[in-house]
Amino acid sequence: MPQTHEVTNQAPPLTGHDVAADAALIEGLHRQGAGWSEDSLHTLGKLAGTEHTQELGRLANENEPVLRTHDRYGNRIDEVEFHPAWHELMDTAVSHGLHAAPWRDDRPGAHVARAAKLYVWGQVEAGHICPISMTYAVVPALRANPALAAVYEPLLAAREYDFGLRAPAGKRGLIAGMSMTEKQGGSDVRTNTTRAVPAGGEDGTYTLTGHKWFTSAPMSDLFLTLAQAPGGISCFLLPRVLPDGTRNRIQLQRLKDKLGNRSNASAEIEYDGALGYLVGEEGRGVRTIIDMVNLTRLDCVLGTATAMRAGLIRAVHHTAHRSAFGAPLIDQPLMRNVLSDLAVESEAATTVAFRLAGATDRAARGDASEESFRRLALAVTKYWVCKRGPVHAAEALECLGGNGYIEESGMPRLYREAPLLSVWEGSGNVSALDALRAMARQPDSVEAFFAEIDLAAGADRRLDASVAELKKELGDLTDLEFRTRRIVESMALVLQGSLLVQYGSPAADAFCASRLGGDHGRAFGTLPAGTDTAPLIDRARHLL
């Protein structure tokens, strides 16, 4: 038999490296006050780069969760079964504090340290990050009911993953979910029809009846949800298991068949007189739960930056080991343009994500100016960075040619995942309009935003010109809502450009020339002639 299957000119598996060996990440970690966590970050990064961990990500995605509504005798059980790989990923994430641990850690930079670990571990497998993110985000909202917070916050922040249906107060650690949207309203949660009726007891409980179109991570221990109470739309905490050990009347109707995020269960559920605890005041449910939404929006930005980094590294790895037309792909001029452009986008996303994580950390410690900055900058960045995720994933996939279209490369999973983070927590229009709302209602957020931008004033003429044009655009109130996307895109770009210039990033000049200077085509790989590609590619290549 002829030797037809000698394998040559193929990239080896991308394993055995430290995922945290990322210059932009480490610089952001120190810049935003969490340098003290670098050693533990590298520990997690080395674990994330192992062959075993990479295999866990594959197994969790290929063995999707299964809904079991009834047992063999016809009793409702409403259980979701997961592959052991999912649980191992969750256990690592919780034990390393990627969930609510920062709320019990008073060290400056705790939220930044957590963001860095999310960025590293999320490159293994994106789906299980959803319940981790919601557990992080639930805490500020829960504090609107101090009695509930006193019981549950320590368990939410505990570094123990304790899966299973038991009364939450008796578990070693808790995971939280969110159940907001309904089929008739989506992001317009004020149209929710789920009803909450006071139960009449001394504990201030309510009974909830209604249908929820999307419930993320339905196997969680606790959920925040919105329902119409006598005083208007209100926020409630619902446990899956009641304090007496009986199951709350939360019925799982079906799991959603999603484009991506396959390892994570998302469900339609029915509240059939489910018991809930009021969080905050009646009629102020949206205001109460928005604290949670703002934190999950931060994680959408972090998740997109994470995916961009993962796509970039895979593209660089492949092209470094693949030759065509007599030379390694990575050394060929046009491919270097593409890789450098992907690197610029990735570094810009990472840099702004960690600036926002730093603002979140400082705002949580009472810094009002940082909270003002975060209010507008997060809406702006969530819109733009998450919009760039899918096109970045598509170009990174293409760097692998036909190999990138094959499931075993991991690129299709990355590509399917990318659009979700733009949809989650308010799709593009919702995020853009939220930025417009912040500018109209909170002028201090506009001042804080431009104060940040102005820190780079005079350092780059292209940036200065773009800021001037943006201010002119904001001064024109004609058809303002119609132009919102264009305005918010410009705001996001000048913010990214300003940060890269301020911090002296190797990507700053290429970013300003291409994203702000107008010397850029409509596809990746159209950086202007003369761009120094070596430092851009080397920052992505040195760990391989």
Side-chain angles (χ1 to χ4, degrees):
M1 183 175 179
Q3 293 293 320
T4 60
H5 289 286
E6 181 182 358
V7 178
T8 61
N9 200 26
Q10 289 282 345
L14 179 52
T15 59
H17 62 287
D18 179 2
V19 177
D22 176 345
L25 165 66
I26 299 303
E27 289 165 8
L29 187 76
H30 284 269
R31 192 183 296 123
Q32 301 301 332
W36 49 264
S37 68
E38 184 176 350
D39 288 345
S40 63
L41 182 63
H42 284 297
T43 298
L44 184 63
K46 291 172 184 175
L47 178 61
T50 63
E51 182 178 358
H52 172 71
T53 299
Q54 295 296 317
E55 181 68 359
L56 291 178
R58 183 189 70 82
L59 289 170
N61 273 271
E62 291 187 3
N63 297 274
E64 298 175 17
V66 176
L67 173 61
R68 306 293 185 194
T69 57
H70 294 78
D71 68 12
R72 60 182 291 193
Y73 304 106
N75 302 306
R76 283 206 74 105
I77 56 174
D78 297 295
E79 287 274 23
V80 182
E81 293 181 357
F82 292 87
H83 189 273
W86 165 275
H87 294 299
E88 190 170 339
L89 292 168
M90 287 288 293
D91 185 62
T92 299
V94 171
S95 65
H96 282 263
L98 276 66
H99 60 316
W103 300 112
R104 309 293 286 186
D105 187 342
D106 60 3
R107 287 176 292 182
H111 292 268
V112 179
R114 177 259 174 192
K117 289 182 176 180
L118 194 82
Y119 176 96
V120 165
W121 192 245
Q123 292 183 48
V124 174
E125 199 284 311
H128 81 291
I129 299 299
C130 172
I132 294 297
S133 176
M134 290 187 297
T135 305
Y136 170 63
V138 74
V139 171
L142 189 60
R143 288 175 176 176
N145 185 321
L148 291 177
V151 174
Y152 294 125
E153 186 175 325
L155 293 169
L156 289 164
R159 296 197 179 201
E160 293 197 60
Y161 176 59
D162 188 4
F163 185 82
L165 272 173
R166 295 188 302 283
K171 298 184 74 173
R172 302 188 309 276
L174 301 177
I175 296 295
M178 182 165 59
S179 188
M180 290 175 58
T181 59
E182 299 182 6
K183 51 183 175 286
Q184 78 284 347
S187 295
D188 187 5
V189 294
R190 294 187 185 278
T191 65
N192 283 4
T193 60
T194 296
R195 295 290 167 183
V197 178
E202 295 182 0
D203 56 358
T205 55
Y206 290 66
T207 56
L208 278 70
T209 303
H211 184 87
K212 291 294 179 179
W213 192 236
F214 279 99
T215 294
S216 298
M219 70 294 170
S220 300
D221 301 293
L222 305 169
F223 300 91
L224 280 188
T225 194
L226 293 174
Q228 296 284 356
I233 193 81
S234 305
C235 181
F236 297 89
L237 180 76
L238 275 69
R240 280 188 73 206
V241 179
L242 299 175
D244 64 3
T246 61
R247 299 186 184 197
N248 207 353
R249 296 183 66 83
I250 304 172
Q251 298 178 351
L252 276 60
Q253 303 301 320
R254 63 170 176 165
L255 299 186
K256 297 291 195 180
D257 187 9
K258 298 172 292 186
L259 169 68
N261 206 245
R262 305 291 293 190
S263 70
N264 178 43
S266 301
E268 289 178 39
I269 66 167
E270 196 82 20
Y271 296 140
D272 182 20
L275 187 72
Y277 301 87
L278 182 66
V279 178
E281 302 174 20
E282 272 197 17
R284 292 183 58 82
V286 175
R287 179 62 264 169
T288 300
I289 211 166
I290 201 68
D291 289 333
M292 182 176 189
V293 171
N294 280 333
L295 289 170
T296 48
R297 282 179 176 172
L298 171 63
D299 281 0
C300 287
V301 175
L302 283 163
T304 303
T306 296
M308 286 183 180
R309 174 67 180 179
L312 171 65
I313 289 301
R314 291 175 185 178
V316 169
H317 177 74
H318 177 85
T319 57
H321 291 91
R322 179 82 163 178
S323 294
F325 309 110
L329 284 172
I330 200 168
D331 292 336
Q332 300 191 28
L334 190 52
M335 181 59 78
R336 292 186 70 80
N337 197 323
V338 172
L339 294 172
S340 297
D341 217 351
L342 291 171
V344 168
E345 195 74 29
S346 174
E347 179 134 350
T350 298
T351 301
V352 73
F354 278 89
R355 175 65 182 90
L356 289 169
T360 298
D361 192 84
R362 290 182 282 274
R365 288 167 171 74
D367 189 324
S369 63
E370 285 290 272
E371 175 57 33
S372 295
F373 168 74
R374 187 185 75 132
R375 171 66 186 94
L376 179 54
L378 179 56
V380 163
T381 303
K382 200 279 184 184
Y383 168 77
W384 179 244
V385 168
C386 295
K387 275 273 177 268
R388 297 295 286 165
V391 291
H392 192 279
E395 194 68 58
L397 181 155
E398 192 173 328
C399 289
L400 278 66
N403 290 313
Y405 204 67
I406 304 303
E407 287 291 340
E408 291 170 322
S409 73
M411 300 305 282
R413 174 161 36 122
L414 194 69
Y415 182 72
R416 287 192 298 270
E417 196 74 29
L420 178 60
L421 295 171
S422 188
V423 173
W424 259 349
E425 309 307 3
S427 55
N429 283 354
V430 173
S431 296
L433 290 171
D434 188 43
L436 196 66
R437 188 179 306 112
M439 288 188 280
R441 297 180 181 178
Q442 296 174 252
D444 57 324
S445 69
V446 181
E447 295 173 7
F449 181 87
F450 279 102
E452 180 71 37
I453 300 298
D454 289 343
L455 292 175
D460 188 286
R461 58 176 177 76
R462 298 156 299 193
L463 175 61
D464 291 343
S466 295
V467 173
E469 182 62 29
L470 172 62
K471 290 179 177 179
K472 180 181 176 182
E473 185 108 38
L474 286 170
D476 179 5
L477 301 182
T478 307
D479 295 325
L480 188 58
E481 184 173 324
F482 188 80
R483 295 184 293 115
T484 298
R485 281 191 175 214
R486 177 174 175 173
I487 291 170
V488 172
E489 176 182 326
S490 296
M491 294 177 73
L493 289 170
V494 298
L495 176 59
Q496 288 181 315
S498 173
L499 294 174
L500 294 172
V501 169
Q502 285 180 52
Y503 303 149
S505 166
D509 183 68
F511 184 93
C512 290
S514 57
R515 276 69 170 171
L516 301 178
D519 195 1
H520 195 241
R522 297 182 184 275
F524 284 106
T526 54
L527 292 174
T531 299
D532 186 0
T533 61
L536 299 171
I537 295 174
D538 288 349
R539 274 166 81 84
R541 188 180 185 181
H542 77 279
L543 64 81
L544 304 175

